[in-house]
């Protein structure tokens, strides 16, 4: 079953094939400068939202990044080591490596190259954007809403260029190719349920609830922004 992401990739490949006669490093992505800039800006906005509004409140995102954050917290607790940056960004990248290989075999080369770029700059931004020592806003719900809205807008911008932040997106696409009952959305939801259940069990119900609220707002804004971007192209 074709997914929206796969259709976006094929549509962008057809659009950009007309301009491939001129030499450019962007030919590797089958993008123009606008798509390249849009993906980069979207990933930056998402990373900014996570580091400024979610991480300072000890909350967790979904997907492979959320899993990476759980692993990071466990490592910090066991080893009692404070790094100068959030090591979840590195863990997130490592987890995605085998998924790149899976996507290369099951999806398309263009999708893998674009996703590799998006995951790489996402990891980079998460690593270099300073994390405040205390929340920017005193109200926890306010942090969650702002973080979710900004992250959703950012990821939506990235998806509209035919790229992906990897992780559950890749798993969902591959799963949908084998069984029509699986989609990117319900596959990601299933993985997130497990991640948030672990959050609730280890770090308390409040952490779980606010992390879920963040994920809901991110998803709403992602779908809305992605749809608007597709219609405007």
């Amino acid at each position: 079953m074709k997914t929206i992401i796969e259709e976006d990739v094929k549509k962008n490949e057809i659009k950009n094939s007309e301009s491939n006669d001129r030499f450019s490093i962007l030919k590797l992505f089958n993008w123009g400068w606008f798509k390249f800039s849009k993906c980069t800006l979207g990933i930056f906005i998402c990373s900014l939202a996570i580091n400024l509004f979610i991480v300072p409140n000890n909350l967790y995102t979904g997907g492979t990044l959320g899993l990476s954050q759980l692993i990071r917290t466990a490592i910090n607790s066991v080893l009692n080591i404070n790094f100068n940056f959030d090591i979840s960004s590195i863990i997130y990248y490592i987890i995605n490596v085998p998924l790149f290989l899976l996507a290369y075999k099951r999806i398309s080369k263009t999708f893998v190259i674009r996703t590799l770029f998006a995951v790489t700059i996402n990891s980079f931004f998460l690593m270099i954007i300073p994390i405040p020592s205390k929340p920017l806003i005193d109200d926890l719900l306010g942090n969650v809403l702002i973080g979710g809205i900004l992250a959703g807008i950012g990821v939506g911008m990235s998806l509209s260029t035919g790229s992906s932040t990897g992780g559950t997106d890749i798993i969902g696409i591959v799963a949908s190719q084998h069984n029509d009952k699986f989609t990117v959305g319900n596959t990601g939801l299933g993985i997130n349920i497990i991640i948030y259940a672990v959050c609730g069990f280890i770090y308390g119900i409040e952490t779980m609830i606010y992390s879920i609220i963040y994920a809901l707002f991110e998803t709403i804004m992602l779908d809305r922004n992605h749809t608007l971007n597709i219609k405007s192209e």
Side-chain angles (χ1 to χ4, degrees), residues 27-139:
K27 290 171 67 175
L28 180 65
F29 301 99
N30 202 12
W31 270 339
W33 280 107
F34 177 75
K35 295 283 188 181
F36 179 84
S37 301
K38 187 177 183 181
C39 178
T40 302
L41 178 60
I43 294 296
F44 177 76
I45 292 173
C46 176
S47 301
L48 196 70
I50 292 171
N51 276 13
L52 295 186
F53 297 101
I54 303 305
V55 177
N57 287 283
N58 297 315
L59 299 178
Y60 297 86
T61 64
T64 51
L65 181 57
L67 175 61
S68 302
Q69 292 168 336
L70 286 174
I71 296 174
R72 170 255 288 154
T73 302
I75 291 175
N76 289 344
S77 299
V78 174
L79 300 180
N80 196 26
I81 299 177
N82 291 320
F83 295 90
N84 294 325
F85 60 92
D86 191 349
I87 63 170
S88 66
S89 59
I90 296 179
I91 299 172
Y92 161 72
Y93 197 89
I94 293 174
I95 292 176
N96 270 286
V97 170
L99 296 178
F100 292 147
L101 300 176
L102 178 64
Y104 184 81
K105 293 182 178 180
R106 301 288 186 175
I107 305 177
S108 74
K109 180 180 178 181
T110 300
F111 174 80
V112 172
I113 292 174
R114 291 176 177 177
T115 299
L116 176 61
F117 170 74
V119 171
T120 299
I121 62 173
N122 194 19
S123 297
F124 176 72
F125 287 146
L126 289 171
M127 188 183 302
I128 67 170
I129 294 175
I131 299 174
S133 57
K134 62 179 182 179
L136 296 180
I137 303 174
D138 292 333
D139 180 40

Side-chain angles (χ1 to χ4, degrees), residues 10-11 14 17 22 25 27 49-50 71 79-80 95 103 108 112 126 147 154-155 166 172 194 203 219:
K10 290 183 178 179
K11 183 177 73 174
I14 295 173
S17 61
R22 65 177 184 273
I25 191 172
K27 290 171 67 175
I50 292 171
I71 296 174
L79 300 180
N80 196 26
I95 292 176
S108 74
V112 172
L126 289 171
V155 175
I194 297 174
Y203 305 111
T219 300

